[in-house]
Structure formats: C-alpha cells, structure tokens
Short mmCIF file of all heavy atoms in Angstrom, two decimals:
data_model
loop_
_atom_site.label_atom_id
_atom_site.label_comp_id
_atom_site.label_asym_id
_atom_site.label_seq_id
_atom_site.Cartn_x
_atom_site.Cartn_y
_atom_site.Cartn_z
N MET A 1 -19.09 77.08 -140.04
CA MET A 1 -19.79 75.85 -140.34
C MET A 1 -21.10 76.34 -141.06
O MET A 1 -21.85 77.14 -140.50
CB MET A 1 -20.09 75.05 -139.09
CG MET A 1 -20.91 73.83 -139.37
SD MET A 1 -21.44 72.92 -137.90
CE MET A 1 -19.91 72.80 -136.98
N LEU A 2 -21.33 75.80 -142.26
CA LEU A 2 -22.55 76.10 -142.98
C LEU A 2 -23.31 74.80 -143.06
O LEU A 2 -22.83 73.79 -143.53
CB LEU A 2 -22.16 76.61 -144.36
CG LEU A 2 -23.32 76.93 -145.31
CD1 LEU A 2 -24.24 77.96 -144.66
CD2 LEU A 2 -22.79 77.41 -146.65
N HIS A 3 -24.60 74.87 -142.59
CA HIS A 3 -25.45 73.65 -142.48
C HIS A 3 -26.66 73.80 -143.39
O HIS A 3 -27.48 74.67 -143.13
CB HIS A 3 -25.87 73.48 -141.01
CG HIS A 3 -26.82 72.35 -140.78
ND1 HIS A 3 -27.45 72.25 -139.52
CD2 HIS A 3 -27.24 71.34 -141.50
CE1 HIS A 3 -28.25 71.16 -139.53
NE2 HIS A 3 -28.13 70.64 -140.72
N GLN A 4 -26.71 73.05 -144.43
CA GLN A 4 -27.94 73.00 -145.31
C GLN A 4 -28.96 72.11 -144.71
O GLN A 4 -28.71 70.87 -144.69
CB GLN A 4 -27.61 72.66 -146.75
CG GLN A 4 -28.78 72.72 -147.64
CD GLN A 4 -28.44 72.45 -149.09
OE1 GLN A 4 -27.74 73.28 -149.68
NE2 GLN A 4 -28.93 71.37 -149.63
N THR A 5 -30.07 72.64 -144.24
CA THR A 5 -31.05 71.83 -143.54
C THR A 5 -32.11 71.20 -144.47
O THR A 5 -32.68 70.17 -144.16
CB THR A 5 -31.85 72.68 -142.52
OG1 THR A 5 -32.51 73.72 -143.23
CG2 THR A 5 -30.88 73.24 -141.48
N GLY A 6 -32.37 71.86 -145.63
CA GLY A 6 -33.43 71.43 -146.53
C GLY A 6 -34.68 72.34 -146.36
O GLY A 6 -34.82 72.97 -145.33
N PRO A 7 -35.48 72.40 -147.41
CA PRO A 7 -36.67 73.27 -147.40
C PRO A 7 -37.56 73.07 -146.18
O PRO A 7 -37.96 71.91 -145.89
CB PRO A 7 -37.36 72.91 -148.73
CG PRO A 7 -36.31 72.34 -149.57
CD PRO A 7 -35.37 71.63 -148.63
N GLY A 8 -37.91 74.13 -145.51
CA GLY A 8 -38.84 74.09 -144.38
C GLY A 8 -38.27 73.45 -143.12
O GLY A 8 -39.02 73.12 -142.20
N ARG A 9 -36.94 73.23 -143.06
CA ARG A 9 -36.35 72.56 -141.92
C ARG A 9 -35.32 73.39 -141.18
O ARG A 9 -34.53 72.81 -140.42
CB ARG A 9 -35.71 71.23 -142.42
CG ARG A 9 -36.78 70.35 -143.07
CD ARG A 9 -36.21 69.09 -143.58
NE ARG A 9 -36.01 68.20 -142.42
CZ ARG A 9 -35.74 66.92 -142.51
NH1 ARG A 9 -35.49 66.37 -143.69
NH2 ARG A 9 -35.66 66.16 -141.45
N ALA A 10 -35.27 74.66 -141.45
CA ALA A 10 -34.22 75.54 -140.80
C ALA A 10 -34.28 75.42 -139.29
O ALA A 10 -33.28 75.50 -138.64
CB ALA A 10 -34.39 76.96 -141.27
N GLU A 11 -35.45 75.25 -138.73
CA GLU A 11 -35.56 75.14 -137.29
C GLU A 11 -34.91 73.91 -136.71
O GLU A 11 -34.67 73.81 -135.52
CB GLU A 11 -37.07 75.22 -136.85
CG GLU A 11 -37.86 73.96 -137.14
CD GLU A 11 -38.34 73.85 -138.64
OE1 GLU A 11 -38.18 74.80 -139.37
OE2 GLU A 11 -38.82 72.77 -138.98
N GLU A 12 -34.59 72.96 -137.57
CA GLU A 12 -33.89 71.73 -137.12
C GLU A 12 -32.36 72.00 -136.95
O GLU A 12 -31.68 71.10 -136.42
CB GLU A 12 -34.14 70.61 -138.09
CG GLU A 12 -35.56 70.15 -138.12
CD GLU A 12 -35.81 69.05 -139.11
OE1 GLU A 12 -34.90 68.31 -139.45
OE2 GLU A 12 -36.96 68.93 -139.58
N GLY A 13 -31.90 73.13 -137.46
CA GLY A 13 -30.48 73.47 -137.21
C GLY A 13 -30.22 73.74 -135.75
O GLY A 13 -31.14 73.89 -134.95
N LEU A 14 -28.96 73.94 -135.48
CA LEU A 14 -28.60 74.26 -134.09
C LEU A 14 -28.96 75.72 -133.78
O LEU A 14 -29.08 76.52 -134.69
CB LEU A 14 -27.07 74.08 -133.94
CG LEU A 14 -26.51 72.71 -134.10
CD1 LEU A 14 -25.00 72.71 -134.10
CD2 LEU A 14 -27.00 71.77 -133.03
N PRO A 15 -29.08 76.04 -132.51
CA PRO A 15 -29.21 77.48 -132.14
C PRO A 15 -28.02 78.26 -132.64
O PRO A 15 -26.88 77.72 -132.70
CB PRO A 15 -29.25 77.48 -130.62
CG PRO A 15 -29.66 76.03 -130.28
CD PRO A 15 -29.09 75.18 -131.31
N ALA A 16 -28.24 79.49 -133.02
CA ALA A 16 -27.14 80.30 -133.57
C ALA A 16 -25.98 80.42 -132.57
O ALA A 16 -26.18 80.58 -131.40
CB ALA A 16 -27.66 81.69 -133.92
N PHE A 17 -24.76 80.28 -133.16
CA PHE A 17 -23.58 80.55 -132.39
C PHE A 17 -22.50 80.99 -133.36
O PHE A 17 -22.65 80.87 -134.60
CB PHE A 17 -23.09 79.36 -131.55
CG PHE A 17 -22.72 78.12 -132.31
CD1 PHE A 17 -21.45 77.94 -132.76
CD2 PHE A 17 -23.67 77.14 -132.60
CE1 PHE A 17 -21.07 76.80 -133.47
CE2 PHE A 17 -23.31 76.01 -133.29
CZ PHE A 17 -21.99 75.83 -133.72
N SER A 18 -21.47 81.59 -132.84
CA SER A 18 -20.37 82.16 -133.65
C SER A 18 -19.77 81.08 -134.54
O SER A 18 -19.40 80.02 -134.07
CB SER A 18 -19.30 82.76 -132.77
OG SER A 18 -18.28 83.29 -133.52
N GLY A 19 -19.73 81.38 -135.84
CA GLY A 19 -19.11 80.42 -136.81
C GLY A 19 -20.09 79.40 -137.38
O GLY A 19 -19.68 78.50 -138.07
N TYR A 20 -21.38 79.48 -137.00
CA TYR A 20 -22.38 78.49 -137.51
C TYR A 20 -23.54 79.25 -138.17
O TYR A 20 -24.01 80.29 -137.64
CB TYR A 20 -22.95 77.70 -136.35
CG TYR A 20 -24.12 76.79 -136.71
CD1 TYR A 20 -23.85 75.54 -137.29
CD2 TYR A 20 -25.38 77.20 -136.53
CE1 TYR A 20 -24.92 74.72 -137.65
CE2 TYR A 20 -26.47 76.39 -136.86
CZ TYR A 20 -26.24 75.14 -137.44
OH TYR A 20 -27.28 74.32 -137.80
N ARG A 21 -23.98 78.75 -139.26
CA ARG A 21 -25.14 79.29 -139.94
C ARG A 21 -25.96 78.12 -140.60
O ARG A 21 -25.39 77.28 -141.31
CB ARG A 21 -24.75 80.27 -141.03
CG ARG A 21 -25.97 80.90 -141.69
CD ARG A 21 -25.59 82.06 -142.64
NE ARG A 21 -24.95 81.63 -143.87
CZ ARG A 21 -25.57 81.51 -145.01
NH1 ARG A 21 -26.86 81.77 -145.13
NH2 ARG A 21 -24.89 81.10 -146.08
N ALA A 22 -27.26 78.10 -140.32
CA ALA A 22 -28.16 77.14 -140.93
C ALA A 22 -28.89 77.82 -142.08
O ALA A 22 -29.28 78.96 -141.94
CB ALA A 22 -29.13 76.62 -139.89
N ALA A 23 -29.00 77.09 -143.20
CA ALA A 23 -29.72 77.66 -144.35
C ALA A 23 -30.57 76.50 -144.94
O ALA A 23 -30.08 75.35 -144.99
CB ALA A 23 -28.75 78.16 -145.39
N GLU A 24 -31.76 76.83 -145.36
CA GLU A 24 -32.64 75.78 -145.99
C GLU A 24 -32.03 75.32 -147.29
O GLU A 24 -32.14 74.12 -147.62
CB GLU A 24 -34.00 76.34 -146.18
CG GLU A 24 -34.78 76.52 -144.86
CD GLU A 24 -36.21 76.95 -145.09
OE1 GLU A 24 -36.70 76.96 -146.26
OE2 GLU A 24 -36.93 77.19 -144.08
N TYR A 25 -31.53 76.25 -148.05
CA TYR A 25 -31.04 75.95 -149.39
C TYR A 25 -29.78 76.78 -149.68
O TYR A 25 -29.80 77.95 -149.31
CB TYR A 25 -32.11 76.18 -150.42
CG TYR A 25 -31.80 75.73 -151.79
CD1 TYR A 25 -31.76 74.39 -152.10
CD2 TYR A 25 -31.52 76.62 -152.82
CE1 TYR A 25 -31.49 73.95 -153.43
CE2 TYR A 25 -31.24 76.23 -154.09
CZ TYR A 25 -31.22 74.87 -154.38
OH TYR A 25 -30.95 74.47 -155.63
N ILE A 26 -28.79 76.21 -150.32
CA ILE A 26 -27.57 76.95 -150.67
C ILE A 26 -27.45 76.93 -152.19
O ILE A 26 -27.39 75.87 -152.79
CB ILE A 26 -26.34 76.31 -149.99
CG1 ILE A 26 -26.52 76.33 -148.51
CG2 ILE A 26 -25.07 76.99 -150.45
CD1 ILE A 26 -25.51 75.43 -147.78
N ASP A 27 -27.44 78.13 -152.75
CA ASP A 27 -27.35 78.27 -154.24
C ASP A 27 -26.40 79.39 -154.59
O ASP A 27 -26.59 80.49 -154.13
CB ASP A 27 -28.75 78.54 -154.79
CG ASP A 27 -28.78 78.59 -156.35
OD1 ASP A 27 -28.01 77.80 -156.90
OD2 ASP A 27 -29.51 79.41 -156.89
N PRO A 28 -25.36 79.06 -155.31
CA PRO A 28 -24.96 77.73 -155.81
C PRO A 28 -24.20 76.93 -154.80
O PRO A 28 -23.31 77.47 -154.10
CB PRO A 28 -24.13 78.04 -157.05
CG PRO A 28 -23.51 79.35 -156.71
CD PRO A 28 -24.48 80.12 -155.85
N ALA A 29 -24.51 75.67 -154.71
CA ALA A 29 -23.86 74.76 -153.72
C ALA A 29 -22.36 74.60 -154.00
O ALA A 29 -21.58 74.50 -153.04
CB ALA A 29 -24.51 73.42 -153.71
N TRP A 30 -21.96 74.66 -155.25
CA TRP A 30 -20.56 74.45 -155.54
C TRP A 30 -19.65 75.48 -154.91
O TRP A 30 -18.48 75.16 -154.54
CB TRP A 30 -20.29 74.39 -157.08
CG TRP A 30 -20.42 75.69 -157.80
CD1 TRP A 30 -21.54 76.19 -158.39
CD2 TRP A 30 -19.44 76.68 -157.98
NE1 TRP A 30 -21.31 77.42 -158.97
CE2 TRP A 30 -19.97 77.76 -158.69
CE3 TRP A 30 -18.09 76.75 -157.58
CZ2 TRP A 30 -19.24 78.91 -159.04
CZ3 TRP A 30 -17.38 77.90 -157.94
CH2 TRP A 30 -17.95 78.94 -158.68
N ARG A 31 -20.13 76.69 -154.73
CA ARG A 31 -19.31 77.73 -154.08
C ARG A 31 -19.05 77.35 -152.60
O ARG A 31 -17.99 77.56 -152.09
CB ARG A 31 -19.96 79.11 -154.16
CG ARG A 31 -19.81 79.72 -155.53
CD ARG A 31 -20.24 81.16 -155.51
NE ARG A 31 -20.12 81.68 -156.87
CZ ARG A 31 -20.86 82.68 -157.30
NH1 ARG A 31 -21.76 83.28 -156.53
NH2 ARG A 31 -20.72 83.10 -158.53
N ALA A 32 -20.11 76.91 -151.91
CA ALA A 32 -19.91 76.47 -150.56
C ALA A 32 -18.99 75.27 -150.49
O ALA A 32 -18.08 75.24 -149.57
CB ALA A 32 -21.27 76.11 -149.94
N LEU A 33 -19.14 74.36 -151.37
CA LEU A 33 -18.24 73.19 -151.38
C LEU A 33 -16.82 73.58 -151.69
O LEU A 33 -15.85 73.10 -151.06
CB LEU A 33 -18.69 72.10 -152.43
CG LEU A 33 -20.05 71.48 -152.11
CD1 LEU A 33 -20.44 70.62 -153.28
CD2 LEU A 33 -20.01 70.67 -150.85
N ALA A 34 -16.60 74.49 -152.63
CA ALA A 34 -15.25 74.96 -152.96
C ALA A 34 -14.58 75.67 -151.83
O ALA A 34 -13.37 75.62 -151.68
CB ALA A 34 -15.32 75.88 -154.20
N ALA A 35 -15.38 76.34 -150.98
CA ALA A 35 -14.82 77.09 -149.84
C ALA A 35 -14.56 76.19 -148.63
O ALA A 35 -13.88 76.59 -147.70
CB ALA A 35 -15.72 78.20 -149.46
N ALA A 36 -15.09 74.96 -148.65
CA ALA A 36 -15.02 74.08 -147.48
C ALA A 36 -13.62 73.49 -147.30
O ALA A 36 -12.92 73.20 -148.25
CB ALA A 36 -16.06 72.97 -147.60
N THR A 37 -13.29 73.27 -146.06
CA THR A 37 -12.07 72.51 -145.70
C THR A 37 -12.39 71.03 -145.73
O THR A 37 -11.58 70.26 -146.28
CB THR A 37 -11.57 72.91 -144.30
OG1 THR A 37 -11.38 74.33 -144.29
CG2 THR A 37 -10.34 72.16 -143.90
N VAL A 38 -13.54 70.68 -145.22
CA VAL A 38 -14.01 69.28 -145.27
C VAL A 38 -15.59 69.38 -145.32
O VAL A 38 -16.13 70.31 -144.83
CB VAL A 38 -13.57 68.46 -144.04
CG1 VAL A 38 -14.14 68.97 -142.76
CG2 VAL A 38 -13.84 67.02 -144.23
N VAL A 39 -16.20 68.38 -145.89
CA VAL A 39 -17.65 68.37 -146.04
C VAL A 39 -18.24 67.11 -145.41
O VAL A 39 -17.69 66.05 -145.55
CB VAL A 39 -18.01 68.36 -147.58
CG1 VAL A 39 -19.50 68.26 -147.77
CG2 VAL A 39 -17.42 69.55 -148.29
N LEU A 40 -19.32 67.29 -144.64
CA LEU A 40 -20.10 66.22 -144.09
C LEU A 40 -21.36 66.19 -144.92
O LEU A 40 -22.08 67.20 -145.00
CB LEU A 40 -20.37 66.49 -142.62
CG LEU A 40 -21.35 65.50 -141.95
CD1 LEU A 40 -20.70 64.12 -141.89
CD2 LEU A 40 -21.69 66.01 -140.52
N CYS A 41 -21.67 65.06 -145.56
CA CYS A 41 -22.76 65.03 -146.53
C CYS A 41 -23.39 63.66 -146.63
O CYS A 41 -22.86 62.67 -146.12
CB CYS A 41 -22.26 65.45 -147.91
SG CYS A 41 -20.98 64.38 -148.56
N ARG A 42 -24.52 63.60 -147.36
CA ARG A 42 -25.10 62.33 -147.74
C ARG A 42 -24.40 61.75 -148.94
O ARG A 42 -23.47 62.40 -149.47
CB ARG A 42 -26.60 62.58 -148.10
CG ARG A 42 -27.43 63.03 -146.95
CD ARG A 42 -27.65 61.92 -145.96
NE ARG A 42 -28.61 62.27 -144.93
CZ ARG A 42 -28.73 61.64 -143.82
NH1 ARG A 42 -28.02 60.59 -143.55
NH2 ARG A 42 -29.64 62.02 -142.94
N GLY A 43 -24.79 60.62 -149.36
CA GLY A 43 -24.04 59.91 -150.43
C GLY A 43 -24.69 59.92 -151.78
O GLY A 43 -24.61 58.90 -152.54
N GLY A 44 -25.40 61.00 -152.14
CA GLY A 44 -25.99 61.06 -153.44
C GLY A 44 -24.93 61.20 -154.56
O GLY A 44 -23.90 61.77 -154.36
N ALA A 45 -25.24 60.67 -155.71
CA ALA A 45 -24.31 60.66 -156.81
C ALA A 45 -23.89 62.07 -157.25
O ALA A 45 -22.71 62.32 -157.47
CB ALA A 45 -24.91 59.95 -158.01
N SER A 46 -24.81 63.04 -157.30
CA SER A 46 -24.44 64.39 -157.70
C SER A 46 -23.52 65.04 -156.70
O SER A 46 -22.55 65.71 -157.06
CB SER A 46 -25.69 65.24 -157.85
OG SER A 46 -26.48 64.75 -158.95
N THR A 47 -23.82 64.87 -155.43
CA THR A 47 -22.97 65.43 -154.37
C THR A 47 -21.57 64.83 -154.47
O THR A 47 -20.59 65.60 -154.44
CB THR A 47 -23.55 65.15 -152.99
OG1 THR A 47 -24.86 65.73 -152.92
CG2 THR A 47 -22.66 65.73 -151.90
N LEU A 48 -21.47 63.56 -154.64
CA LEU A 48 -20.16 62.93 -154.72
C LEU A 48 -19.40 63.36 -155.95
O LEU A 48 -18.18 63.56 -155.89
CB LEU A 48 -20.29 61.45 -154.65
CG LEU A 48 -20.89 60.85 -153.34
CD1 LEU A 48 -21.00 59.33 -153.37
CD2 LEU A 48 -20.11 61.33 -152.12
N ALA A 49 -20.06 63.54 -157.03
CA ALA A 49 -19.40 64.03 -158.27
C ALA A 49 -18.91 65.44 -158.08
O ALA A 49 -17.80 65.76 -158.49
CB ALA A 49 -20.42 63.95 -159.47
N GLU A 50 -19.69 66.35 -157.46
CA GLU A 50 -19.26 67.73 -157.21
C GLU A 50 -18.04 67.69 -156.29
O GLU A 50 -17.07 68.45 -156.53
CB GLU A 50 -20.38 68.50 -156.58
CG GLU A 50 -21.50 68.81 -157.57
CD GLU A 50 -22.63 69.59 -156.86
OE1 GLU A 50 -22.93 69.37 -155.66
OE2 GLU A 50 -23.29 70.41 -157.56
N LEU A 51 -18.05 66.89 -155.25
CA LEU A 51 -16.91 66.81 -154.34
C LEU A 51 -15.67 66.33 -155.08
O LEU A 51 -14.54 66.92 -154.87
CB LEU A 51 -17.24 65.92 -153.18
CG LEU A 51 -18.25 66.41 -152.20
CD1 LEU A 51 -18.69 65.31 -151.27
CD2 LEU A 51 -17.75 67.62 -151.44
N ALA A 52 -15.82 65.36 -155.88
CA ALA A 52 -14.62 64.88 -156.68
C ALA A 52 -14.13 65.93 -157.63
O ALA A 52 -12.89 66.13 -157.71
CB ALA A 52 -15.01 63.60 -157.44
N ALA A 53 -14.98 66.63 -158.33
CA ALA A 53 -14.60 67.66 -159.24
C ALA A 53 -13.88 68.79 -158.53
O ALA A 53 -12.95 69.38 -159.11
CB ALA A 53 -15.83 68.18 -160.03
N LEU A 54 -14.31 69.11 -157.30
CA LEU A 54 -13.74 70.21 -156.56
C LEU A 54 -12.56 69.69 -155.65
O LEU A 54 -11.95 70.51 -155.01
CB LEU A 54 -14.78 70.89 -155.70
CG LEU A 54 -15.87 71.64 -156.50
CD1 LEU A 54 -17.03 71.99 -155.61
CD2 LEU A 54 -15.23 72.91 -157.15
N ARG A 55 -12.34 68.43 -155.63
CA ARG A 55 -11.28 67.79 -154.88
C ARG A 55 -11.36 68.17 -153.38
O ARG A 55 -10.37 68.59 -152.74
CB ARG A 55 -9.91 68.20 -155.44
CG ARG A 55 -9.78 67.69 -156.92
CD ARG A 55 -8.46 68.11 -157.47
NE ARG A 55 -7.44 67.51 -156.59
CZ ARG A 55 -6.37 66.85 -157.02
NH1 ARG A 55 -6.18 66.71 -158.32
NH2 ARG A 55 -5.45 66.39 -156.18
N ARG A 56 -12.56 67.96 -152.80
CA ARG A 56 -12.80 68.31 -151.44
C ARG A 56 -12.90 66.99 -150.63
O ARG A 56 -13.63 66.06 -151.03
CB ARG A 56 -14.07 69.09 -151.20
CG ARG A 56 -13.97 70.53 -151.67
CD ARG A 56 -12.93 71.28 -150.84
NE ARG A 56 -12.63 72.57 -151.30
CZ ARG A 56 -11.52 72.90 -152.01
NH1 ARG A 56 -10.65 71.95 -152.31
NH2 ARG A 56 -11.29 74.11 -152.39
N PRO A 57 -12.23 66.92 -149.49
CA PRO A 57 -12.39 65.74 -148.62
C PRO A 57 -13.79 65.78 -148.01
O PRO A 57 -14.30 66.85 -147.71
CB PRO A 57 -11.31 65.91 -147.60
CG PRO A 57 -10.97 67.32 -147.52
CD PRO A 57 -11.27 67.88 -148.93
N ALA A 58 -14.33 64.59 -147.76
CA ALA A 58 -15.67 64.51 -147.21
C ALA A 58 -15.84 63.28 -146.34
O ALA A 58 -15.19 62.25 -146.51
CB ALA A 58 -16.68 64.41 -148.38
N VAL A 59 -16.73 63.46 -145.39
CA VAL A 59 -17.24 62.33 -144.55
C VAL A 59 -18.65 62.09 -145.10
O VAL A 59 -19.52 62.99 -145.01
CB VAL A 59 -17.28 62.69 -143.05
CG1 VAL A 59 -17.87 61.57 -142.25
CG2 VAL A 59 -15.88 63.04 -142.58
N VAL A 60 -18.87 60.92 -145.66
CA VAL A 60 -20.15 60.59 -146.32
C VAL A 60 -21.01 59.76 -145.37
O VAL A 60 -20.52 58.67 -144.97
CB VAL A 60 -19.91 59.91 -147.68
CG1 VAL A 60 -21.25 59.61 -148.33
CG2 VAL A 60 -19.03 60.73 -148.57
N VAL A 61 -22.17 60.25 -145.05
CA VAL A 61 -23.13 59.53 -144.21
C VAL A 61 -24.35 59.19 -145.06
O VAL A 61 -25.16 60.03 -145.30
CB VAL A 61 -23.53 60.37 -143.00
CG1 VAL A 61 -24.50 59.59 -142.12
CG2 VAL A 61 -22.30 60.81 -142.22
N PRO A 62 -24.42 57.94 -145.57
CA PRO A 62 -25.51 57.60 -146.47
C PRO A 62 -26.88 57.68 -145.78
O PRO A 62 -27.02 57.40 -144.60
CB PRO A 62 -25.20 56.15 -146.84
CG PRO A 62 -23.80 55.90 -146.45
CD PRO A 62 -23.52 56.85 -145.33
N TYR A 63 -27.89 58.09 -146.55
CA TYR A 63 -29.28 58.08 -146.06
C TYR A 63 -29.70 56.64 -145.85
O TYR A 63 -29.70 55.83 -146.75
CB TYR A 63 -30.19 58.79 -147.10
CG TYR A 63 -31.64 58.83 -146.67
CD1 TYR A 63 -32.05 59.64 -145.66
CD2 TYR A 63 -32.56 58.02 -147.29
CE1 TYR A 63 -33.40 59.67 -145.24
CE2 TYR A 63 -33.90 58.06 -146.87
CZ TYR A 63 -34.25 58.89 -145.89
OH TYR A 63 -35.58 58.91 -145.49
N PRO A 64 -30.01 56.27 -144.61
CA PRO A 64 -30.21 54.89 -144.30
C PRO A 64 -31.56 54.29 -144.64
O PRO A 64 -31.78 53.05 -144.54
CB PRO A 64 -29.98 54.80 -142.79
CG PRO A 64 -30.44 56.14 -142.30
CD PRO A 64 -30.06 57.11 -143.42
N HIS A 65 -32.52 55.12 -145.00
CA HIS A 65 -33.92 54.66 -145.15
C HIS A 65 -34.37 54.42 -146.64
O HIS A 65 -35.53 54.12 -146.85
CB HIS A 65 -34.90 55.57 -144.46
CG HIS A 65 -34.51 55.77 -143.00
ND1 HIS A 65 -34.62 54.77 -142.07
CD2 HIS A 65 -34.06 56.85 -142.35
CE1 HIS A 65 -34.23 55.23 -140.89
NE2 HIS A 65 -33.88 56.48 -141.04
N HIS A 66 -33.47 54.55 -147.52
CA HIS A 66 -33.86 54.37 -148.96
C HIS A 66 -33.90 52.87 -149.25
O HIS A 66 -32.97 52.15 -148.86
CB HIS A 66 -32.91 55.06 -149.90
CG HIS A 66 -33.45 55.21 -151.30
ND1 HIS A 66 -33.44 54.14 -152.18
CD2 HIS A 66 -34.08 56.25 -151.90
CE1 HIS A 66 -34.02 54.55 -153.28
NE2 HIS A 66 -34.42 55.83 -153.15
N PRO A 67 -34.93 52.38 -149.94
CA PRO A 67 -35.07 50.93 -150.11
C PRO A 67 -33.88 50.22 -150.83
O PRO A 67 -33.54 49.12 -150.43
CB PRO A 67 -36.36 50.78 -150.96
CG PRO A 67 -37.12 52.04 -150.74
CD PRO A 67 -36.07 53.09 -150.44
N ASP A 68 -33.29 50.88 -151.80
CA ASP A 68 -32.18 50.24 -152.50
C ASP A 68 -30.81 50.52 -151.94
O ASP A 68 -29.81 49.99 -152.44
CB ASP A 68 -32.25 50.53 -154.02
CG ASP A 68 -31.82 51.91 -154.38
OD1 ASP A 68 -31.44 52.70 -153.49
OD2 ASP A 68 -31.89 52.25 -155.58
N GLU A 69 -30.73 51.33 -150.90
CA GLU A 69 -29.49 51.63 -150.24
C GLU A 69 -28.42 52.17 -151.19
O GLU A 69 -27.23 51.92 -151.01
CB GLU A 69 -28.97 50.45 -149.48
CG GLU A 69 -29.86 49.97 -148.38
CD GLU A 69 -29.30 48.84 -147.54
OE1 GLU A 69 -28.33 48.18 -147.99
OE2 GLU A 69 -29.80 48.63 -146.41
N HIS A 70 -28.82 52.88 -152.23
CA HIS A 70 -27.84 53.36 -153.22
C HIS A 70 -26.79 54.31 -152.65
O HIS A 70 -25.66 54.29 -153.09
CB HIS A 70 -28.54 54.01 -154.44
CG HIS A 70 -29.21 55.33 -154.11
ND1 HIS A 70 -30.45 55.43 -153.53
CD2 HIS A 70 -28.74 56.58 -154.28
CE1 HIS A 70 -30.74 56.69 -153.35
NE2 HIS A 70 -29.75 57.41 -153.82
N GLN A 71 -27.16 55.09 -151.62
CA GLN A 71 -26.19 55.97 -151.04
C GLN A 71 -25.10 55.24 -150.30
O GLN A 71 -23.93 55.61 -150.28
CB GLN A 71 -26.87 57.01 -150.10
CG GLN A 71 -27.65 58.05 -150.93
CD GLN A 71 -28.00 59.25 -150.06
OE1 GLN A 71 -27.61 59.43 -148.93
NE2 GLN A 71 -28.78 60.14 -150.68
N ARG A 72 -25.48 54.13 -149.64
CA ARG A 72 -24.48 53.27 -148.97
C ARG A 72 -23.49 52.74 -150.02
O ARG A 72 -22.28 52.72 -149.80
CB ARG A 72 -25.12 52.18 -148.18
CG ARG A 72 -24.13 51.31 -147.39
CD ARG A 72 -24.81 50.21 -146.63
NE ARG A 72 -25.44 49.25 -147.56
CZ ARG A 72 -24.80 48.27 -148.26
NH1 ARG A 72 -23.48 48.18 -148.20
NH2 ARG A 72 -25.46 47.48 -149.03
N LYS A 73 -24.04 52.27 -151.13
CA LYS A 73 -23.19 51.74 -152.21
C LYS A 73 -22.32 52.86 -152.77
O LYS A 73 -21.13 52.62 -153.09
CB LYS A 73 -24.08 51.13 -153.27
CG LYS A 73 -24.82 49.92 -152.81
CD LYS A 73 -25.89 49.44 -153.79
CE LYS A 73 -26.76 48.41 -153.19
NZ LYS A 73 -27.91 48.05 -153.99
N ASN A 74 -22.84 54.05 -152.92
CA ASN A 74 -22.03 55.18 -153.48
C ASN A 74 -20.91 55.52 -152.50
O ASN A 74 -19.77 55.79 -152.94
CB ASN A 74 -22.91 56.47 -153.66
CG ASN A 74 -23.88 56.34 -154.76
OD1 ASN A 74 -23.83 55.44 -155.57
ND2 ASN A 74 -24.85 57.23 -154.78
N ALA A 75 -21.21 55.53 -151.21
CA ALA A 75 -20.17 55.90 -150.21
C ALA A 75 -19.13 54.86 -150.16
O ALA A 75 -17.97 55.13 -149.95
CB ALA A 75 -20.86 56.09 -148.89
#
C-alpha cells in the first residue's frame, strides 16, 4: 500500500508496517497508478483522467469541503 499524504503531512500516515509506505509526494504518479491493483483517491479531474488512461479501478472519495463540490460531480 502506497499512501500519498501531501507536502508536510507524512506524519499523518499510519505507523510503519509491512507492506505500507507513506510518502509526501509521488513522482511520477502515473507509475504508482500503473502498478496499482486498485486506487483510493480524491475526485480531481486530472486524477480521474490518469486512472481512465491507465484503466485502473478506483474508489473515488470526493473532497467534501470545496464550495462548488466539483469532485462530487466528477465522481
């Protein structure tokens, strides 16, 4: 399991255990997505486009606090 936490948020990841790694940033992200069996992600347009291009199944959890709720609409 590879968990991208975001810049400055690595400590928000789980404590280390076998098969889990937290990273602030993954570059290039497409390689991680291509290697994934399934992806748990937010509903941003770029992320969804990458998943579609790579044909990866995903569970999309929209960011709930954006004023226009565009991620909910994308998902």
Side-chain angles (χ1 to χ4, degrees):
M1 179 185 311
L2 180 57
H3 176 190
Q4 180 174 296
T5 62
R9 301 179 80 170
E11 72 282 350
E12 294 178 25
L14 297 173
F17 64 89
S18 179
Y20 172 83
R21 183 170 73 99
E24 290 185 6
Y25 187 72
I26 300 166
D27 184 35
W30 71 266
R31 284 191 183 153
L33 294 174
T37 302
V38 66
V39 176
L40 174 64
C41 62
R42 295 290 188 194
S46 295
T47 300
L48 297 179
E50 289 176 329
L51 291 168
L54 293 167
R55 301 179 56 133
R56 288 295 171 259
V59 176
V60 181
V61 181
Y63 179 72
H65 304 294
H66 196 280
D68 72 3
E69 297 184 344
H70 69 279
Q71 288 195 6
R72 184 181 64 77
K73 294 169 188 170
N74 291 347

